[in-house]
Amino acid sequence: MKKLAVAGVSLFVSSFVCAAPREGEAQFRALYQELVETNTSLSVGDCTLAAQRMAAHLKAAGYADSELEVFVPPDHPKEGGLIAVYPGTDKKLKALLLMAHLDVVEAKREDWTRDPFKLVEENGNFYARGVVDDKAEAAIFTDSLARLRAAKFKPLRTIKLALTCGEETAGALNGAQWLTRNRREAIDAAFALNEGAWGELDSSGKRVALQIQAGEKLAQNYRLEVTNPGGHSSRPVKDNAITHLAGALVRIGAYDFPAQFNDGNRGYFSAMATIQDAKGEKDVAAAMRAFLANPGDTAALALVSAKDTSWNAFLRTTCVATMLDAGHATNALPQRARANINCRIFPGVDQEQVRRKLEEISADPAVKVTTLEIRNENPPVPPLTPQIMKPFEKLAAEYYPGVPIVPVLQAGATDGSFTNAAGIPTYGIMPIFIGPDLGHIHGLNEYVSVESLLTGRDFLYRLIQAYANQK
């Protein structure tokens, strides 16, 4: 291993990487390391500090103060973000927006093999919280703006960058939502690039597909609650709050919402059927084609849904119990029992419709179902137009020849839900390949392939240029 000092930051890189560095690789590694090692978890982190550090990189790259704004929503001093602007030459063309979130999921040192807020390179991977979600793209977008300024690139479209906070925690202030409500003009754009899709690897590390996201499911929490007078535990009764709640949870856990289809998941399963054929999974491929031809083919849907949890999630609304809170003493009958149900709702379905369904499935008048915070309505699905697809397809053929492009309806939630709802078509494009374990995103020991990250950096740098020069 060799140690490099870049802009006052020490980092270790392998001798293999040093032998053939990419353009600006050392600078990118320093920026990426600084961002990853800036703790931005909600409990003790500071997104505003991360935004200030990214702004400092851009100022060092030649951006004027008038092109950079660290914004801090009132009463949220540590939940700020960054807006950066690279002016285009054609004022008639609307801008291209690059967006990524700075905040990360909580990570406890005692649970991790390595310090989650120290970037570690081992076995060809980077390890730390946020190395994928979403500091990979935040760092790449920031680095790309610096590279474009250094190259004196003259885009037709203005390029805007929005780095925000609050994506990972329901109930926290969300920077993307705040911008759409308070600074809509600052992020106005013809379309936006965001997280939400990636490259798929199989269990052997072979590239299977390169995703592009067109739309996503809406995340919505519901509370199931049962209240009861309670009493002494030595005198049990059947009318028990926990028992009522448990029965409802079992019924919800056993229920499958009906499959639904739009351009996103139809495109995904059409392409995936071909991929499964090539892998010799003829029965899976046939089942996919069967339900695409007949959405009522329950046998085909059941086969595919059982094969892969992601496939199941792409097909339907899903609801799952995620938290429980019940009772007040070990020797007392419970007076209250609560559960949180986290739903990922298919586009076009409203929250109240799902609440009523949960009530119906619970099949118990003692169980009250309440809709919790509504961040926004279920947004429209942006179309995969030739303007979006052609540059993406061209670069994909160059960087990943033979790897099919697969449109995907994202089962998880991203900040694209806010920008789509605000009228800015937002597409998930992150050409970084990860395996079936999703790089342990949100879990322990999150990681990403160094080579895949660096290749994805180059891919996105060129894609930004292609989009920015479109008329």
Side-chain angles (χ1 to χ4, degrees), residues 163-177:
L163 302 180
T164 59
C165 197
E167 195 268 356
E168 293 290 11
T169 308
L173 181 136
N174 183 281
Q177 182 185 43

Side-chain angles (χ1 to χ4, degrees), residues 9 12 55 57 158 171 173 228 255 270 284 299 305 333 351 361 380 393 401 407 430 441-442 446 448 450 459:
V9 179
F12 289 90
H57 279 278
T158 291
L173 181 136
N228 194 288
Y255 180 77
S270 294
V284 176
S305 297
L333 299 178
Q351 293 97 322
I361 301 165
E393 291 168 341
M430 189 173 71
I441 293 170
H442 288 202
E446 183 177 345
V448 66
V450 176
F459 184 110

Side-chain angles (χ1 to χ4, degrees), residues 222-226 243-253 255 257 339 341 354-370:
Y222 299 86
R223 178 186 295 131
L224 269 61
E225 183 172 27
V226 183
T243 304
H244 282 289
L245 181 65
L249 293 178
V250 168
R251 288 186 285 274
I252 290 171
Y255 180 77
F257 283 79
I341 301 293
V354 174
R355 190 202 67 78
R356 290 195 302 267
K357 190 64 182 180
L358 290 173
E359 202 169 58
E360 176 189 325
I361 301 165
S362 296
D364 186 340
V367 178
K368 180 182 179 182
V369 183
T370 304

Side-chain angles (χ1 to χ4, degrees), residues 37 48 56 67 143 180 244 350 409 423 465-466:
E37 294 186 354
T48 303
E67 297 170 322
D143 169 72
T180 62
H244 282 289
D350 67 41
L409 171 67
Q465 293 177 72

